Amino acid sequence: MRNIAVLGATGSIGGNTLDVIARHPERFRASVLTAHRQVEALVALCVQHRPDLAVIADPALEADLSRRLTAAGVRCEIASGHAALTAAASGNLCDTVVAAIVGAAGLESTLAAARAGKHLLLANKESIVMAGPLLLHAVAAGGGALVPVDSEHNAIFQCLPGGRPDLRRSGVRRLVLTASGGPFRGRTRAELADITPDQACKHPNWVMGRKISVDSATLMNKGLEVIEAHHLFGAPAEAIDVVVHPQSLVHSMVEYVDGSVLAQLGNPDMRTPIAHALAYPERVDSGVAQLDLVQVASLSFEKPDYERFPCLALAMQALSAGGIASAALNAANEVAVEAFLERRIGFTDIAQTVAAVLDAVPNQRPDELATVLEADAAARRAAIDFIARRPIAGRTAVHRDRANRALQ
Ligand code: NDP
Ligand code: MG
C-alpha cells in the first residue's frame, strides 16, 4: 500500500491523481491532501478520500478548514502555512509525494520530499527549472526516486532503458519533445496582440490549470520543458529538439544512434503519466480511453516558430546561459502570466517582460537554495518594475493604475 501526499490536491493534476488513486484502493491511499486557498474544494476531497492530514497553505484559512471538516464529519490532522507543507512532504504520513503545486511556490515542499527520500512524482516543473542540480542532488542524497509526471518527460522516461541512464553510453542521440503548438498555432504576430486570458486558457487538447495553459499558448511551457529535460535526463541543450505535433498523441521521443526512434503514444489525458508514475515499475489501469489510431488516421509534425513564440527561444537562451538564468526566466514568466491573467498586460507583453528581466538580472552560480531564492525575488521585482514602467502600446489608464498598485 502506497501512502501518497498529493500537494496541490485541488488542482488539475491533483484531481487527476486522486482519480487514479481512487481506482486502486488496494494499492494506493491519499494520506495527505493540500491546497492553497480553496477550502471548500479541499473539504470535499477530504470527505471522499479520508486523508490523515489536510494542509491549507494560507494560515488565515485554517480555522475555516477546521470548522468545515468537523461539520462534514471528517476527523484528520489539520495544519496550515508553508512550513506545514514542507513538513507534510517530508513527514512519516506518506512514502510517496505528488508534487503538483503550481509555480515556484512548490519548490520548497518538492525539495523537502526529495531530501526525505520520498518516491517523488514530479509535476511541478518550475521547481526543477529553478533549481535542477539542487533538486537532483537532494533526490540522490535522500535515496528516493524521481519519476516525471509531465507527459513529455514521462514519455522519454518510458523510452529510455532504466529511466535515467547515461545517455551517451546508452546510444541516445537526441531527445525530441513534442509540443501541441497551443491554441494560437496558426495566428500571425499581429493577431496574437489581442488575445484574451480566456482564449489563452482554452487549450485544444488538454484541460489544465490557468498558468500552464497560458504557458502552453506562449510556448514558454515547452521552453520550461526543454530545461526540465536537460536536468532530468542529463542531456546537453544541443541534444534536445522540439517538434510541433498538433494532435498531442505522440508525447515525446528518444532517438538512438542506430536510427531507432522510440516514442510513447496515448490519448492526451494526464492520468496515463500519473498512473505510470504511481505504479512504476508496474502498470495499472488509469481510466484513459484506448487510443484508436485508425480513427486518428494521421499524425503531423512541423517546426516550432521561434519568432511568433519568442518565449521558447528565451528559455533556450536561459538554458545556455546557465547559472540562475532559468530561475530568473521562470520568476519573470510567473509575474507576467499573472499580470496577463489579470488583464494588466497583453499576451505578447509576456515575452517582452521575460526578455527584459533576463537582461536586467545579473547571472551567478546557484550553489545553494538561498541564491536561487534571491534570484527568484530579484527577477520578480524586475518584472513588476518593467510592467509598471514601460509604455505599452495602447495601454489604458486602468492598466497603468493596476500595474502601479501591483508595484506597491
Ligand atoms: P492548478 O492551478 O490546476 O492547481 C494548482 C494547485 O496548487 C492547487 O491545488 C492550488 O491550490 C495549489 N497552489 C497554488 N498556489 C499555491 C501556493 N502558493 N502554495 C501552496 N499551494 C498552492 O495547476 P495544475 O494542476 O495545472 O499544475 C500543477 C503543476 O503541474 C504545475 O507546475 C504545472 O506546470 C504542472 N503540470 C500540469 C499539467 C496539467 O495537465 N495540468 C501537465 C504537466 C505539468 P488552490 O486550488 O487552493 O488554489
Ligand atoms: Mg508537458
Side-chain angles (χ1 to χ4, degrees):
M1 174 68 76
R2 278 209 160 145
N3 282 305
I4 302 161
V6 184
L7 310 182
T10 45
S12 161
I13 292 286
N16 280 318
T17 302
L18 289 167
D19 181 284
V20 176
I21 288 175
R23 287 169 193 275
H24 303 281
E26 72 299 344
R27 273 177 182 262
F28 305 137
R29 194 176 156 257
S31 57
V32 178
L33 298 178
T34 85
H36 184 211
R37 293 203 176 111
Q38 289 203 66
V39 176
E40 234 177 285
L42 181 58
V43 171
L45 293 176
C46 290
V47 169
Q48 194 187 344
H49 296 277
R50 304 276 157 175
D52 301 320
L53 169 64
V55 181
I56 190 88
D58 184 343
L61 297 171
E62 184 177 334
D64 189 24
L65 175 65
S66 167
R67 215 174 16 249
R68 286 175 195 250
L69 283 174
T70 307
V74 177
R75 291 164 61 104
C76 68
E77 275 182 56
I78 298 167
S80 69
H82 287 281
L85 271 182
T86 51
S90 54
N92 55 16
L93 292 177
C94 63
D95 46 66
T96 300
V97 171
V98 179
I101 290 174
V102 61
L107 174 61
E108 293 189 55
S109 50
T110 303
L111 275 172
R115 279 192 210 107
K118 304 294 179 189
H119 187 67
L120 178 60
L121 276 51
L122 184 70
N124 175 240
K125 65 189 82 183
E126 293 89 348
S127 59
I128 194 158
V129 166
M130 292 173 74
L134 292 177
L135 178 58
L136 294 178
H137 180 76
V139 171
L146 187 163
V147 183
V149 166
D150 209 350
S151 58
E152 296 75 4
H153 307 77
N154 184 269
I156 290 170
F157 186 92
Q158 294 195 45
C159 295
L160 288 171
R164 192 182 188 274
D166 179 329
L167 293 192
R168 226 182 267 151
R169 279 212 207 134
S170 309
V172 172
R173 184 189 280 151
R174 206 166 54 118
L175 306 180
V176 183
L177 294 179
T178 51
S180 68
F184 311 129
R185 191 166 51 93
R187 303 275 178 109
T188 63
R189 232 191 140 115
E191 285 167 339
L192 290 176
D194 300 324
I195 298 292
T196 66
D198 283 345
Q199 289 170 321
C201 288
K202 240 184 237 135
H203 196 277
N205 305 334
W206 301 94
V207 181
M208 307 179 286
R210 283 171 81 77
K211 191 261 175 182
I212 186 177
S213 295
V214 175
D215 286 348
S216 299
T218 59
L219 290 205
M220 178 58 93
N221 183 50
K222 210 48 54 183
L224 298 177
E225 289 183 354
V226 168
I227 301 172
E228 181 182 9
H230 162 74
H231 291 305
L232 276 180
F233 304 113
E238 324 74 78
I240 306 173
D241 274 356
V242 173
V243 60
V244 173
H245 164 52
Q247 297 84 12
S248 295
L249 296 172
V250 175
H251 297 303
S252 278
M253 298 172 261
V254 177
E255 182 183 298
Y256 289 86
V257 286
D258 61 5
S260 298
V261 178
L262 301 194
Q264 185 257 357
L265 282 75
N267 279 317
D269 187 321
M270 285 308 293
R271 289 177 302 172
T272 294
I274 289 168
H276 169 267
L278 279 172
Y280 181 78
E282 293 171 22
R283 297 269 179 179
V284 293
D285 177 26
S286 63
V288 175
Q290 266 180 280
L291 175 60
D292 183 345
L293 281 174
V294 173
Q295 206 198 346
V296 171
S298 64
L299 301 174
S300 60
F301 301 92
E302 57 196 64
K303 271 191 184 166
D305 184 332
Y306 291 90
E307 277 179 19
R308 274 184 306 135
F309 299 100
C311 283
L312 181 53
L314 288 168
M316 306 264 197
Q317 182 191 317
L319 174 57
S320 37
I324 52 84
S326 296
L329 170 101
N330 177 68
N333 182 56
E334 286 191 27
V335 171
V337 170
E338 195 184 330
F340 168 69
L341 285 171
E342 291 171 359
R343 294 172 170 268
R344 286 185 278 117
I345 62 171
F347 184 76
T348 47
D349 298 324
I350 297 174
Q352 294 201 26
T353 307
V354 174
V357 171
L358 281 183
D359 284 344
V361 176
N363 206 349
Q364 55 180 311
R365 279 168 62 99
D367 292 329
E368 49 186 54
L369 182 59
T371 320
V372 173
L373 295 178
E374 276 161 29
D376 174 88
R380 277 169 206 273
R381 282 194 301 274
I384 290 170
D385 187 54
F386 178 78
I387 288 169
R389 285 174 211 290
R390 76 185 273 266
I392 296 171
R395 185 150 126 189
T396 63
V398 177
H399 277 131
R400 191 180 303 278
D401 229 39
R402 284 195 200 142
N404 282 335
R405 253 180 279 135
L407 189 63
Q408 281 154 16

